[in-house]
Amino acid sequence: LSFLLFREKKRRRIAALTENMAVEGCSIGDWDGRWSHVQKFLERTGPFTHPDFEPSEETLQFLLETCKILVIGAGGLGCELLKNLALSGFRHIHVVDMDIIDVSNLNRQFLFRSKDVGRPKADVAAEFINQRVPGCNVVPHFKKIQDFDASFYRQFHITVCGLDSIIARRWINGMLLSLLSYEDGVLDPSSIIPLIDGGTEGFKGNARVILPGMTACIDCTLELYPPQITFPMCTIASMPRLPEHCIEYVRVLQWPKDKPFGDAVGLDGDNPEHVQWVFQESLKRAAEFNITGVTYRLTQGVVKRIIPAVASTNAVIAASCATEVFKIATSAYIPLNNYLVFNDVDGLYTYTFEAERKDNCTACSQVPQKLQFPPSAKLQEVLEYLTENASLQMKSPAITATLEGKNKTLYLQSIASIEERTRPNLCKTLKELGLADGQELAVADATTPQTVLFKLNFTSETCSIKQVQN
Amino acid sequence: MLTPPLSSVEEQRLWGDHGQETLENAHVCLINATATGTEILKNLVLPGIGVFTLVDGHKVSGEDVGNNFFLTSSSIGKNRAQAATELLQELNSDVSGNFVEESPDKLLDNSPEFFHRFSLVIGVQLPESTYLRLGSVLWEAGVPFLICRTYGLIGYMRLIVKEHTVVESHPDNALEDLRLDQPFTELKHHVESYDLDNMEKKDHSHTPWIIVVAKYLEKWYSEHNSQLPKNYKEKEAFRKLIREGILTNENGTPEDEENFEEAIKNVNTALNPTKVPSATEDIFNAEQCENITSQSPSFWVIAHGVRDFVRNEGNGKLPVRGTIPDMIADSDKFIKLQNVYRDKAMKDAAVVSKHVEALLQSVGKPPESTSEQEIKLFCKNAAFLRVVRCSMSSLRFSACDSEMVLYLMLRSVDRFYQQHSRYPGVYNYQVEEDINKLKLCVNSLLQEYSLNVNVKDDYIHEFCRYGAAEPHTVAAFLGGSAAQEAIKIITHQFVPFNNTFLYNAMSQTSATFQL
């Protein structure tokens, strides 16, 4: 509690200014010159425009009245995206975010104030934009992206993501791919919903344009997102060297054992009491090994897995993304093809390149996926392959197969009772489980809205365990 | 310390508490509250700039409100600086916002010293005559000047600063300072305390790779006339030598010794000769470093102190940095090794301190003029020091790639404004007729600077088409870019661009030139 008081003291609220910020009584009607900055790009011919571009006053009307944009995320990138779109003429915007506002968001996510702490980000962001930009109609959804189905996503012209999770990105990528329709093997262009994706990490960021079914998708370039480096367990458990190792020990091993705040109470990085406890225990552990450097701030950073976010990087990336949304919605210019990298650690550096589609991409190619294992391999090995292979990087795959005419769950981690029931299968061999050569395995995972089908090919016993994707 | 951080500014973890402090003590002046201007300010107010002063003589127009998040339609007709300050101030109650309802030209006419008080001046959408005038005032006063502009789909920044020093440049891929080629005494002793041939397996597998490389280097020296492995062939042979040291089990198969694998992997970089990087040498040889006076900023005083160290106690080497990367090892071995480097770094920094003290005394300044903290930080970063100097020298052009053409077009548009008191193509009916007028400006510029360049008509048409528009997304891109450069200037951390930056939103490309 004392930490919050500390913060409040420093935050001398200028109450008078807040009161003066009354809701403007202006009408939703536009005023003279409101869209003049935008109109020049819609109503004038130009030498560098998209081949499909035709100057017209109707394009602005399309933006204002018809074009529907979906923004995913209302955090650092999301707030910037909403502002950028609203000031570019977009009025029908939906925003999805499952988080509520925390006091640590306030210094960067500029649509939120301390009075909003505890409220859903999507709601507050929508309210702020709708009030500040008259006529703009942002519709908030305090939900997970997985709470919606295809009929929801299908209504949008363009989707823009400002997410901090690769899993979520892959999921939305999969969803948009599932909306594609083919006639006689030919992709119907009207079923394509472009996906503009932005990501930032400290002073680095990237913005990319994905045309599902046509250009490289998120999964095509999965290797660009290397798996997060975690510390080896033996280091954490018995051989710490860095202050981070000590903190991880307390977070991963000591907390579940000590249960300092009660039986089913999980460690919450936003709860200062939790963080304080981890900090104290980490100091003790560090003292045992003569390790210096454990601080409260470091503890918080490790517990929350914070990669520091920078307001200006979010601004740059969200701006690039919004520019692409504008180009695609209006055909004003040829869109980015298709990946922009930004880094301003040393000067400012950008690099633009065309990410290529992967021929055997698990998400967007029609190529059937293969699993190659000897029949004596244990199910555990298959599970490890699905999670550790760089092109798959599944989180907690659930594996089912059709055996004796029935759909049988071989292993599922996310529901405790089923996990317990199917756990013994991990130690059984594929042969023992009754699987046959050429059999199909259906794998479900958080990284994709659709089940991925794998064909199981038995290799000879002398083959090495390491797999070969086609 | 048990108290939690006072601020929830996440960026603080990137530039540290001392960086945050300089930010909170800074006073930035931003001229012209256009969309670009307010976006830049937003990105300074959010991380906690101490004070900002917004200077703008314009009244808010309907067009202004259309692309600017910090203006509302109820402020149409009011002074733009005042209107924007209210909504910017509201972002962060720890920041103080001021506004001046005056054009910069007026201020330059009546009281140019107004600008002397600022840590940094950012000029947005300024006509050429104004930024040239302002530039020379700020140059004389030693105040950094950042010029920013959004013109259609083009973003532009120019930095003008006499001398900007950076101690903490935070390079992305810095090489470690391990001194394996020239181990200091304490490191030698520590390495000697290990006897790899007579260790238990557990200890052998948890010996830090630095020790492993040091030991095998000794072996190599004895067989190679004390010469470091130099080329690829020799390094390969050295790696093989280390690999032969991996323990084997009773069947002769090698054990799993990750520390040895680490040693082998790091051979490439671990044996780099220790030397003073050229950028640091240049700093040592600079006139400001040589001639220390009572006015010298502490950067140069400490640099001189480090230089003295290098030429004496350091034997041509910088103070030891004192950090080692994490590696497979048991806690005890790692901490002991880390402490060897840390202690040496502290010793070296103390010697540098003595030099600095003597130096300060010689120019009549008290020893407290530079803190221990400062000196330690400087020593730790001695290999990464940078100095940036950007003048507003006469216009030069380099090879004509597409971004350079954009720069030329911006200058031509400036010239157009000078001649016609307006920008080309603002109204629809002007677009066609202004193309020829703008072309004349381009050609006169090319002639003046004797440039043998062909500027395609397409660019001239496009710049007329822009009609000096300031689309919000381009303003926002520049807002982020400029704010970050401003923070670099204020905190003296990370390296600012030098000195001209161009962003093309059509192609999503950018370029930096040194003009």
Side-chain angles (χ1 to χ4, degrees), chain A residues 374-401:
Chain A
S376 61
K378 303 210 170 69
L379 186 64
Q380 174 74 38
E381 292 167 51
V382 176
L383 194 73
E384 276 165 16
Y385 172 70
L386 292 171
T387 52
E388 287 164 21
N389 178 275
S391 312
L392 294 175
Q393 289 190 48
M394 293 190 162
K395 285 301 156 217
S396 60
I399 312 172
T400 58

Side-chain angles (χ1 to χ4, degrees), chain A residues 10 31 36-37 44 80 83 113 132 240-241 297 306 309 311-312 323-324 327 333 344 347 350 352, chain B residues 11 13 17 39 42 69 90 94 326-327 329 331 425 462 465 470 472-473 484 488 495 506 508 510:
Chain A
K10 199 165 189 229
W31 52 86
S36 98
H37 293 281
R44 298 177 172 190
E80 291 280 342
K83 159 184 71 74
R113 301 289 176 270
R132 183 62 65 85
R241 296 175 297 268
R297 195 196 296 281
I306 295 175
S312 49
T323 295
E324 292 309 308
K327 285 180 191 170
Y333 289 88
D344 65 357
T350 66
T352 311
Chain B
E11 286 95 327
R13 299 193 320 124
D17 290 339
E39 287 299 305
K42 156 176 122 312
F69 196 70
E90 190 264 326
D94 291 337
D326 190 23
M327 58 192 74
S331 317
E462 182 76 358
R465 179 183 192 242
E470 193 184 4
H472 183 84
T473 59
Q484 197 52 42
K488 290 179 188 175
V495 184
M506 288 186 284
Q508 297 281 24
S510 74

Side-chain angles (χ1 to χ4, degrees), chain B residues 308-335:
Chain B
D308 287 344
F309 172 90
V310 171
R311 291 177 180 176
N312 295 290
E313 299 89 347
N315 286 313
K317 297 184 284 293
L318 293 170
V320 167
R321 194 178 309 159
T323 57
I324 58 173
D326 190 23
M327 58 192 74
I328 301 290
D330 64 55
S331 317
D332 189 56
K333 292 190 181 61
F334 180 83
I335 302 294

